[in-house]
Amino acid sequence: MPERRGHAPKNKAEVFEFFRLLAEDNPDPQTELEFGNDYQLVVAVALSAQATDVGVNKATRKLFAEVKTPQQMLDLGEDGLKEHIKTIGLFNSKAKNVIALSQMLVGDFGGTVPGDRDSLVRLPGVGRKTANVVLNCAFGQPTFAVDTHVFRVCNRTGVAKGKTPDKVEAQLEKKVPEPFRMGAHHWLILHGRYLCKARTPECWRCPVVDLCGYRDKVLDKPRGR
């Protein structure tokens, strides 16, 4: 079988086709974090930094059965929260942030999650990436949350190159066509998590392999897989 090296998307039509193929492969992409309301989403995303969604979900299932509002989190307290999330990396600092952001939500926002980025990034432990996830998943805004998976996929494929997450986000903002803006960061995250992996990308089953500028493609399925 001839090698299929492909190339990075070079123009609007190829960028459109790149996302069309991802959408065809996964028509309804969703975050894999489990949550029941906007507040729980904020907490889950804050806890997910340097942790897997699977690990966060295991920790938050019992927590979210008990805690559904910022006030309930304050009633639980920092020590009680730590007991729920102690299996998550950096749980001590994350617990402090969750309690602090809950206090701010109660004191400054009437216990509700604000729907604008400037207000969200004021919350302790909430950076631009977390804010973008919340705006997209809770408020239906076409934002681009650039985590390690998105950063890798965008640079590796060439669809949106940048030396920093902010620069990659700016490229996505500029280049992603309208039909795919809501789902773009979900497709990219899931693509990086399950196909375009850091160590061994599974290019042999990638839907966008022909629109990818990665030179070290793994085009043949390793034996035993």
Side-chain angles (χ1 to χ4, degrees), residues 107-196:
D108 294 359
F109 298 100
T112 62
V113 175
D116 65 280
R117 184 182 287 109
D118 289 344
S119 295
L120 285 168
V121 297
R122 286 179 53 203
L123 300 173
V126 176
R128 186 176 181 89
K129 184 197 77 173
T130 297
N132 281 344
V133 173
V134 173
L135 291 172
N136 183 279
C137 297
F139 296 98
Q141 296 185 27
T143 55
F144 306 98
V146 180
D147 69 351
T148 55
H149 294 302
V150 175
F151 186 78
R152 179 177 67 256
V153 170
C154 286
N155 278 289
R156 182 180 276 177
T157 62
V159 71
K161 287 189 173 184
K163 292 184 178 180
T164 66
D166 285 351
K167 289 182 178 179
V168 169
E169 182 186 341
Q171 284 295 303
L172 289 170
E173 187 69 48
K174 178 181 178 181
K175 296 172 72 172
V176 177
E178 184 58 43
F180 309 114
R181 294 179 72 83
M182 271 299 299
H185 93 267
H186 294 293
W187 283 309
L188 293 167
I189 288 171
L190 296 172
H191 192 64
R193 186 173 290 162
Y194 296 112
L195 282 179
C196 196

Side-chain angles (χ1 to χ4, degrees), residues 6-224:
H7 62 270
K10 296 176 181 178
N11 52 48
K12 290 182 179 180
E14 290 186 347
V15 172
F16 186 98
E17 181 65 4
F18 180 93
F19 284 101
R20 188 195 69 76
L21 289 167
L22 290 180
E24 184 179 75
D25 190 59
N26 183 4
D28 186 30
Q30 301 290 332
T31 178
E32 293 187 321
L33 289 171
E34 298 172 2
F35 62 96
N37 58 37
D38 297 353
Y39 170 67
Q40 290 180 342
L41 174 62
V42 173
V43 173
V45 181
L47 294 177
S48 71
Q50 300 182 51
T52 66
D53 287 2
V54 171
V56 172
N57 290 338
K58 286 181 179 178
T60 57
R61 283 177 192 134
K62 289 184 179 179
L63 173 65
F64 289 164
E66 181 179 347
V67 174
K68 296 177 173 60
T69 68
Q71 186 58 57
Q72 288 175 342
M73 186 68 78
L74 297 178
D75 294 340
L76 177 65
E78 187 174 325
D79 289 339
L81 174 57
K82 286 180 181 180
E83 280 300 307
H84 282 282
I85 67 170
K86 60 187 178 183
T87 56
I88 300 175
L90 306 175
F91 73 93
N92 283 311
S93 60
K94 289 177 180 179
K96 290 185 190 316
N97 282 334
V98 169
I99 293 298
L101 73 83
S102 300
Q103 289 173 331
M104 183 174 287
L105 286 173
V106 170
D108 294 359
F109 298 100
T112 62
V113 175
D116 65 280
R117 184 182 287 109
D118 289 344
S119 295
L120 285 168
V121 297
R122 286 179 53 203
L123 300 173
V126 176
R128 186 176 181 89
K129 184 197 77 173
T130 297
N132 281 344
V133 173
V134 173
L135 291 172
N136 183 279
C137 297
F139 296 98
Q141 296 185 27
T143 55
F144 306 98
V146 180
D147 69 351
T148 55
H149 294 302
V150 175
F151 186 78
R152 179 177 67 256
V153 170
C154 286
N155 278 289
R156 182 180 276 177
T157 62
V159 71
K161 287 189 173 184
K163 292 184 178 180
T164 66
D166 285 351
K167 289 182 178 179
V168 169
E169 182 186 341
Q171 284 295 303
L172 289 170
E173 187 69 48
K174 178 181 178 181
K175 296 172 72 172
V176 177
E178 184 58 43
F180 309 114
R181 294 179 72 83
M182 271 299 299
H185 93 267
H186 294 293
W187 283 309
L188 293 167
I189 288 171
L190 296 172
H191 192 64
R193 186 173 290 162
Y194 296 112
L195 282 179
C196 196
K197 300 174 185 177
R199 292 186 179 180
T200 308
E202 299 182 5
C203 309
W204 65 88
R205 64 185 188 98
C206 174
V208 292
V209 66
D210 293 329
L211 287 170
C212 170
Y214 187 45
R215 293 182 179 180
D216 300 321
K217 291 188 177 76
V218 183
L219 294 168
D220 294 321
K221 182 179 180 181
R223 292 182 179 180

